[in-house]
Amino acid sequence: MDTNVTTTTRTDLEFSVLGPFTISRAGDELDLGGRLQRSVLALLVAAGGERVGYDQLLVGVWGEDVASDRLRSLQTYVSNLRAILGDVIDRQGDGYRLTIVDGAIDAARFEESVDRARPLVVTDAGQAAETLRGALGLWRGRPYADLFDVPGLDFEARRLEELRLQAVELRIDADLAAGHDDHVLAEAEALADEYPTRERFRAQHMLASYRTGRQADALRAYRRTEDYLRSELGIEPGAQLRELELRILQQDEELLTSTQRAATMRAAILVTDIEGSTRMWDRHAAEMPAALAAHDRILRDSVEAAGGSVFK
């Protein structure tokens, strides 16, 4: 029978859950034993340092119809894991808690990086994109990929996958804010087609298309999402996506970055003539150069007074 054990926080273990579940010590992957034993440890890792009761562990590993003799198996697995990892599993009443340092779990580092990047999208888009790329680089596949059918891990795996998609959305927002429209155009389109109900991906694709001179492509992309939502779900696109379509139709310059807006100039072609100038050149050839200079000066002064510039 397990007894209460006082544990110490280990600093030499690395827990990887963003893909197949592995644990390493000093770079060497540890043999965690059989699938059920690995599942017990994975449930403790997923709890992020919180206590997990016996009943929750039993149901999480074996499902709702768990046999009455599984508690002894659970205690044996914990004992074996302590022998492999050291005293990092603390018994607390009728449950267990994993005692490890902050940042030992890749999922925790991922979430911390995403939280740090969120405000930077507005204040330093380039740094935000770099931080998010680093966070997304921690991923090696589906969370707990080799334990995908363990009942107690399903919710956590889905939660992490949702956070991954949110991080991708946020990273594309950062790239768009930094003016990297060409770089994200194909990626945003592929993601919008892969996740047709996530309208944010489609909005990013439309915005990148519009900013790169593909207004028609942006509008056709909106129609694809609109058709899918209507035919598959019987709903209309959300208000934000509809508003974006309208602003693109209106060629709203506020959709452009400040650099793009600064590079956009409005030009008017003004054609003038001095009435009877041909006859005047014949009759007053010596005086005409001065008359033309006066004509040009009057026009230039008028244009510049209205805030314009004369290029020729």
Side-chain angles (χ1 to χ4, degrees):
M1 179 66 66
D2 233 329
T3 58
N4 287 299
V5 176
T6 301
T7 64
T8 57
T9 300
R10 295 294 296 261
T11 61
D12 59 347
L13 296 174
E14 296 183 3
F15 296 74
S16 300
V17 306
L18 302 178
F21 178 56
T22 63
I23 299 179
S24 301
R25 177 183 287 128
D28 296 325
E29 185 176 333
L30 301 179
D31 183 355
L32 302 175
R35 181 178 179 77
L36 293 176
Q37 186 165 290
R38 290 165 55 80
S39 299
V40 171
L41 180 58
L43 289 170
L44 294 174
V45 172
E50 298 294 325
R51 173 188 167 278
V52 186
Y54 291 160
D55 290 343
Q56 186 177 350
L57 285 169
L58 291 170
V59 172
V61 173
W62 285 280
E64 294 291 341
D65 298 328
V66 58
S68 59
D69 62 345
R70 295 301 188 188
L71 179 57
R72 184 171 297 277
S73 297
L74 173 64
Q75 293 168 338
T76 299
Y77 292 148
V78 171
S79 179
N80 293 341
L81 289 167
R82 282 180 175 146
I84 298 168
L85 304 174
D87 291 337
V88 297
I89 301 177
D90 185 12
R91 180 183 170 191
Q92 293 188 339
D94 58 349
Y96 296 105
R97 181 175 71 91
L98 192 66
T99 307
I100 53 177
V101 297
D102 292 340
I105 305 173
D106 59 354
R109 297 198 304 275
F110 167 73
E111 293 190 59
E112 190 276 332
S113 294
V114 173
D115 289 340
R116 190 170 68 251
R118 288 186 190 279
L120 292 176
V121 174
V122 176
T123 60
D124 190 344
Q127 182 59 51
E130 182 178 345
T131 299
L132 288 163
R133 263 187 265 277
L136 290 163
L138 294 171
W139 284 74
R140 300 168 293 114
R142 185 185 186 276
Y144 301 95
D146 54 331
L147 301 174
F148 67 92
D149 58 348
V150 175
L153 292 175
D154 183 66
F155 175 81
E156 177 65 2
R158 292 176 183 272
R159 185 187 75 85
L160 289 171
E161 179 60 24
E162 172 60 25
L163 287 177
R164 184 189 72 83
L165 290 173
Q166 291 179 14
V168 174
E169 291 174 335
L170 195 63
R171 197 266 303 155
I172 294 176
D173 279 343
D175 279 332
L176 288 170
H180 300 153
D181 310 290
D182 280 317
H183 297 166
V184 304
L185 180 59
E187 179 188 14
E189 181 176 16
L191 287 166
D193 290 340
E194 183 178 358
Y195 301 98
T197 61
R198 296 186 79 94
E199 296 184 21
R200 189 170 172 183
F201 282 141
R202 181 59 75 197
Q204 291 168 334
H205 170 223
M206 291 169 61
L207 182 58
S209 297
Y210 177 67
R211 286 180 174 178
T212 53
R214 299 171 173 87
Q215 179 180 354
D217 289 347
L219 296 173
R220 280 193 290 267
Y222 174 84
R223 297 297 177 213
R224 290 208 304 273
T225 293
E226 182 181 49
D227 291 344
Y228 175 86
L229 294 176
R230 283 177 175 174
S231 62
E232 298 296 326
L233 303 175
I235 60 175
E236 296 292 326
Q240 291 182 335
L241 200 62
R242 296 198 307 271
E243 180 183 357
L244 178 59
E245 183 216 17
L246 179 60
R247 294 177 69 183
I248 290 174
L249 283 168
Q250 296 171 340
Q251 298 184 337
D252 187 347
E253 288 190 0
E254 291 301 314
L255 294 176
L256 303 175
T257 65
S258 57
T259 302
Q260 290 170 324
R261 288 197 298 272
T264 301
M265 298 181 296
R266 295 186 180 276
I269 299 175
L270 178 63
V271 179
T272 66
D273 187 22
I274 299 176
E275 185 176 356
S277 60
T278 301
R279 294 192 305 274
M280 294 177 67
W281 273 105
D282 291 338
R283 296 176 183 177
H284 309 286
E287 291 83 0
M288 281 301 292
L292 285 174
H295 165 268
D296 291 345
R297 184 178 64 254
I298 292 170
L299 285 176
R300 183 178 297 277
D301 290 345
S302 299
V303 170
E304 290 178 350
S309 300
V310 176
F311 293 95
K312 184 175 181 180

